[in-house]
Amino acid sequence: MNIATRLNSALSVRDQFPAIAGWHYLDSAATAQKPQAVIDAITNAYGRDYATVHRGVYERSAAMTQSFEAARDAAAALIGGQADELIFTRGATEAINLIAARFANGMRKRVLLSALEHHSNIVPWQLAGYAIDVVPLTDDGRIDLDAAERMANESHAILSFAHVSNVLGSILDAKRAAAIAHKVGAKLLLDGCQAAPRLKIDVVDLDCDFYVYSGHKLYGPTGIGCLWGRSELLNAMTPYQGGGAMIDQVTFEKTSFLDAPARFEAGTPHIVGAIGLHAAIDWTQDIGLDALHAHETALVGECRAALRSIPGVTLFGPEDSAGIVSFGVDGVHPHDIGTILDDERVAVRAGHHCAQPLMEVLGVPATARASFAAHSDASDIEALVQGLHTVKRIFG
Ligand code: PMP
């Protein structure tokens, strides 16, 4: 039985993605392709409806303000949060930088991260002057929460973990991580870049304190991301940037600030980015995150089985990874794998995936990574397998 016959979870949305025609796009973890509904929403927002938000007294601006705030409602609701707790940022990177720069937990100057974090969940803490403790991984590539429990202590301001690893696809037991953090008076930040497009999320149920994600990985535009935080934490933080839209009163002597979210959104926001993100969220929710997760889980299972049958292929990460399969081929640099696959119209990512410390743990300089999305199907896995046979022939 071939993969297509076994895989009965096709979502049949492929022809809604104009950019993937004739191509096997397996790099959605880097950035997702956009469905036509998102492209249309962006086109209309610039082409038909465009005006500024918040300040306009004319009708078009009032309508744009409504659309912008409706996007905030949707971005918060996607993860089970409230709109007044949802700050638009440029992306997850800016969101984590904001928290690292402005969140304070008394005099605590250490953070607890894990060995699989993306650079954007490492470097901001260094820049903000925190000392970092690193939770190791289990043998199958999960954040070792038994070790986290032993390591967490009252010197830690915050525990900050990827909800889903961008390299291994491993899913964090976020509720347990929250309990570990709260037991020592620390907060929990979840980097949801890879989780938001793949899992149904409820920040209240997870009991986390901050949650961040990027629009462009969720079928939306680049340049827009979300920071959700508990109101009391956000309003205790001083603003990150100053300017228009975030103030209450300004004099040359003193300025008072609005509460979140305006407090952290200085300047004209990425209006069209938010509207495009809203369209992406609606599109994703029409499919349903449970259906998306089931679809990607089936693809990962088939992909891992197919790659395992090719001699010399090493797989990284757990069997139940979310939408992401990292692998290597004995004696071949992942960049060569990526280049040869590209010749066969298969796009994978090859490199350290902005997770150099994880590469050290895995003992490799880089991996090749195939990542799936709603439009992925059996033909993508079959093309990947064919391409890897070509790699083996060339390097034979
Ligand atoms: N964290 C994770 C787990 C990621 O996968 C990424 C993007 N590769 C980021 C953070 C950074 O996201 P962005 O570049 O969109 O800010």
Side-chain angles (χ1 to χ4, degrees):
M1 210 194 284
N2 66 17
I3 295 172
T5 319
R6 262 197 318 270
L7 202 72
N8 55 5
S9 80
L11 289 177
S12 305
V13 292
R14 214 173 168 94
D15 49 5
Q16 294 182 39
F17 288 82
I20 60 168
W23 203 34
H24 296 284
Y25 185 71
L26 290 171
D27 199 17
S28 297
T31 197
Q33 295 291 343
K34 316 307 170 199
Q36 190 62 45
V38 170
I39 299 167
D40 289 346
I42 294 168
T43 307
N44 287 337
Y46 273 129
R48 191 189 64 191
D49 306 331
Y50 189 68
T52 193
V53 293
H54 299 320
R55 283 168 292 264
V57 291
Y58 48 95
E59 200 179 319
R60 174 83 73 86
S61 174
M64 211 52 168
T65 303
Q66 256 184 14
S67 302
F68 182 68
E69 291 305 326
R72 190 190 307 282
D73 293 345
L78 177 76
I79 55 169
Q82 301 295 323
D84 64 352
E85 303 169 321
L86 194 291
I87 295 155
F88 283 128
T89 61
R90 273 198 305 123
T93 300
E94 186 175 60
I96 299 175
N97 274 276
L98 192 164
I99 299 164
R102 287 295 179 261
F103 170 71
N105 187 348
M107 301 300 284
R108 299 178 181 211
K109 283 311 275 180
R110 302 188 80 79
V111 291
L112 190 59
L113 311 180
S114 87
L116 58 67
E117 298 310 318
H118 190 279
H119 295 164
S120 59
N121 192 24
I122 300 173
V123 183
W125 303 107
Q126 293 170 332
L127 290 174
Y130 283 96
I132 297 172
D133 295 314
V134 184
V135 178
L137 306 184
T138 60
D139 288 345
D140 65 349
R142 302 171 203 273
I143 299 174
D144 184 345
L145 290 182
D146 291 337
E149 191 153 26
R150 288 191 298 274
M151 294 172 75
N153 62 51
E154 284 167 15
S155 72
H156 294 122
I158 200 161
L159 277 57
S160 188
F161 297 142
H163 195 182
V164 167
S165 159
N166 66 310
V167 180
L168 304 173
S170 30
I171 305 171
L172 175 73
D173 177 351
K175 272 194 193 190
R176 184 169 173 215
I180 292 169
H182 295 156
K183 197 167 161 200
V184 297
K187 302 298 177 194
L188 177 68
L189 163 57
L190 293 174
D191 170 358
C193 269
Q194 301 297 340
R198 307 200 153 80
L199 304 179
K200 195 182 254 175
I201 293 154
D202 182 344
V203 287
V204 176
D205 182 53
L206 295 180
D207 201 25
C208 61
D209 300 287
F210 296 104
Y211 200 97
V212 305
Y213 66 96
S214 280
H216 70 99
K217 295 186 196 270
L218 185 81
Y219 307 101
T222 52
I224 187 86
C226 298
L227 187 180
W228 172 87
R230 294 181 188 276
S231 287
E232 69 273 17
L233 298 178
L234 294 176
N235 290 322
M237 286 158 52
T238 54
Y240 183 51
Q241 294 182 330
M246 48 77 77
I247 54 86
D248 173 29
Q249 290 289 325
V250 179
T251 66
F252 280 109
E253 288 69 44
K254 188 172 178 308
T255 294
S256 54
F257 306 109
L258 297 174
D259 278 346
R263 186 185 196 79
F264 297 103
E265 292 183 1
T268 304
H270 188 3
I271 304 165
V272 177
I275 290 169
L277 174 60
H278 190 178
I281 290 170
D282 283 352
W283 186 87
T284 309
Q285 286 186 324
D286 277 352
I287 293 177
L289 277 147
D290 286 338
L292 255 172
H293 182 55
H295 171 68
E296 292 191 14
T297 302
L299 288 162
V300 164
E302 290 293 340
C303 184
R304 289 184 74 95
L307 296 197
R308 197 174 277 117
S309 70
I310 305 172
V313 170
T314 307
L315 289 168
F316 302 102
E319 289 305 310
D320 62 347
S321 56
I324 293 170
V325 177
S326 263
F327 61 94
V329 179
D330 286 354
V332 188
H333 193 282
H335 285 154
D336 293 324
I337 299 175
T339 307
I340 295 166
L341 289 176
D342 186 40
D343 284 343
E344 309 214 352
R345 310 277 298 159
V346 177
V348 297
R349 180 88 183 267
H352 54 62
H353 316 289
C354 297
Q356 285 179 353
L358 174 56
M359 295 300 116
E360 211 155 292
V361 172
L362 299 177
V364 294
T367 73
R369 180 187 70 185
S371 50
F372 299 106
H375 51 70
S376 309
D377 64 17
S379 73
D380 298 318
I381 300 174
E382 282 157 356
L384 173 65
V385 169
Q386 282 304 316
L388 288 176
H389 283 302
T390 308
V391 170
K392 300 253 322 174
R393 252 197 325 278
I394 291 172
F395 280 86

